[in-house]
Amino acid sequence: MKIALAYSSKRGLLKEYLRRFPDSGKDSSDECFAEGDSPATINAVKQAIAGLGHEVRAIEADIGLERKLLRFKPDLVYNIAEGLFGDFRESYAPIVCEKLSLPYTGSGPLALGICLHKARCKEILTANGIANPSFRVFRTGDAIDLSGLKWPVIIKPAAEGSSKGIFDRSVAEDETSAGKLIAETLAQYNQPVILEEFLPGAEFTVAMIGNTPSPEILPIVELDFSQLPGSARKIYSYEAKWVWDTPSAPLRIFHCPAAISDVRRTAIEELAKRAFRTLELRDWCRMDIRLAADGTPNIIEINPIPGILPDPKENSCFPKAARAAGYAYPDIFAKVIQAATCRLSGGAHGAAF
Ligand SMILES: Nc1ncnc2c1ncn2[C@@H]1O[C@H](COP(=O)(O)OP(=O)(O)OP(=O)(O)O)[C@@H](O)[C@H]1O
Ligand SMILES: [Mg+2]
């Protein structure tokens, strides 16, 4: 097949940002580009897909995406693009594919938009009885009512990923610090802010490939927060992800497969499958799940385009889970392409959407 790999590089995101805000003085080291793909990732994915026997062209999902796709005329778009900017950015590449009637891997624009907006996602999960931490949403200008909360709480921007805006100091123990954090986060990220009940239990991340009704669940990854500096919060914060964990001194924060009982594993897997079905996700995704004080698994967050850093030292969970399942890096893409092809042809797992 001719496959276009649609990606968003850190450089491409910076270029687009400077086009919009020429006087911003930003550079690619800014937190705002943390979700962009590095040249190493783009190249590794391209090589992996080419190694499966496909003709691959890597295409930056910038404002020229439509033009470049029209020129290449792919049979399939493999979508790992973050999009451009704004709360709906991940929907951008799939919408272009929809417009051009090009088949693409992964979830559609609606599911991507919803999962990126954590508050909207939580509303849908809650309406469908899928466990997630209780929450309140604040928008600029709202009165900040913090009465009747269970403490501590965690405060995060509604539409970010890669732990942007989730710092070690994002957990608040009282109304004063929570109020201050909400105001700061609203001002800095220019989007709604979510306040969530802080779940004290163990944390897992669950990689999935395939489609409803029977997506494959890869071995569950457990996060080991004892690896963080002693005084740090037991969360996978921006500092834990990007500052304390480096390829030269990796934090051994992940255990895969998680050492959990069959009962707990089944509970986590069932929750992940229900969320996958409810949000109409497709082909692959990664869900962050954490236990409440009573041990009930709750969805923290859903990543329909999971991170796939190729270097094992970079501690990327999806490839780690794949390795634990006995899959090499290219097998991830082979399986996702197979899931997408099967779905698109209306095959066994294709009927759902
Ligand atoms: N309600 C909560 N209770 C406890 N910890 C939480 C809660 N919400 C978030 N966290 C912690 O903060 C981390 C980052 O949160 P979240 O997964 O929402 O952010 P993200 O930036 O979207 O992550 P990703 O990089 O996976 O896209 C979680 O992995 C978890 O450790
Ligand atoms: Mg997360």
Side-chain angles (χ1 to χ4, degrees):
M1 275 197 287
K2 264 172 91 169
I3 298 187
L5 171 64
Y7 66 88
S8 302
S9 70
K10 288 183 202 297
R11 241 182 90 183
L13 290 176
L14 173 66
K15 200 169 137 204
E16 172 61 16
Y17 195 89
L18 293 176
R19 190 181 72 79
R20 294 177 186 210
F21 309 104
D23 303 323
S24 65
K26 286 213 192 281
D27 63 35
S28 57
S29 64
D30 193 278
E31 182 215 16
C32 136
F33 307 108
E35 287 166 317
D37 298 308
S38 68
T41 301
I42 299 158
N43 206 30
V45 178
K46 186 179 170 192
Q47 295 308 326
I49 298 175
L52 303 171
H54 301 293
E55 180 191 349
V56 192
R57 182 175 298 176
I59 293 180
E60 178 92 45
D62 57 14
I63 54 170
L65 176 63
E66 180 174 337
R67 178 180 39 81
K68 289 182 268 188
L69 288 175
L70 280 172
R71 196 180 309 143
F72 183 51
K73 296 188 180 58
D75 302 307
L76 180 73
V77 178
Y78 197 106
N79 180 31
I80 61 167
E82 171 64 21
L84 295 170
F85 290 93
D87 296 359
F88 322 109
R89 57 190 178 275
E90 285 191 9
S91 308
Y92 167 63
I95 283 178
V96 172
C97 294
E98 296 279 350
K99 179 181 175 194
L100 302 180
S101 205
L102 285 175
Y104 56 94
T105 62
S107 298
L110 181 64
L112 289 176
I114 289 169
C115 290
L116 189 57
H117 195 306
K118 291 176 185 166
R120 284 282 104 89
C121 184
K122 288 170 69 64
E123 286 161 6
I124 292 173
L125 293 174
T126 306
N128 285 279
I130 297 175
N132 69 97
S134 60
F135 68 109
R136 291 183 193 174
V137 183
F138 299 97
R139 297 182 169 83
T140 307
D142 284 354
I144 298 182
D145 176 10
L146 299 174
S147 55
L149 288 171
K150 262 188 19 206
W151 301 91
V153 297
I154 184 163
I155 285 148
K156 43 190 182 182
E160 297 296 347
S162 304
S163 288
K164 279 157 66 176
I166 304 179
F167 299 101
D168 198 55
R169 61 182 167 76
S170 298
V171 181
E173 303 279 353
D174 56 48
E175 286 195 22
T176 314
S177 53
K180 200 165 157 267
L181 256 166
I182 292 167
E184 277 172 21
T185 313
L186 278 172
Q188 187 169 350
Y189 292 90
N190 202 23
Q191 58 185 266
V193 165
I194 304 180
L195 173 150
E196 265 181 22
E197 171 192 1
F198 183 83
L199 300 184
E203 183 166 329
F204 306 92
T205 192
V206 180
M208 306 167 82
I209 300 182
N211 281 299
T212 296
S214 46
E216 176 178 358
I217 302 196
L218 302 184
I220 296 173
V221 177
E222 179 166 5
L223 280 77
D224 175 3
F225 296 116
S226 69
Q227 295 294 308
L228 302 182
S231 58
R233 293 279 182 188
K234 307 289 182 223
I235 60 169
Y236 200 28
S237 60
Y238 188 84
E239 292 91 337
K241 214 166 281 180
W242 302 112
V243 181
W244 298 327
D245 189 6
T246 59
S248 54
L251 286 180
R252 297 195 198 295
I253 197 164
F254 300 121
H255 297 310
C256 186
I260 48 177
S261 68
D262 286 349
V263 173
R264 176 146 289 159
R265 198 183 62 245
T266 305
I268 292 172
E269 290 183 352
E270 286 308 314
L271 178 73
K273 278 197 261 185
R274 283 182 63 209
F276 194 96
R277 174 193 283 275
T278 299
L279 289 157
E280 300 181 3
L281 301 177
R282 302 194 305 220
D283 303 339
W284 66 339
C285 90
R286 206 199 80 230
M287 296 191 190
D288 297 338
I289 291 176
R290 194 156 165 141
L291 304 185
D294 67 359
T296 312
N298 277 243
I299 301 278
I300 291 285
E301 188 233 350
I302 297 176
N303 299 285
I305 303 181
I308 36 164
L309 306 185
D311 182 350
K313 290 202 222 74
E314 284 187 296
N315 257 343
S316 189
C317 289
F318 201 104
K320 189 172 287 271
R323 285 195 296 278
Y327 303 147
Y329 191 67
D331 295 338
I332 297 174
F333 307 98
K335 284 178 158 284
V336 172
I337 291 168
Q338 190 190 21
T341 313
C342 182
R343 168 176 60 78
L344 289 159
S345 67
H349 300 273
F353 315 113

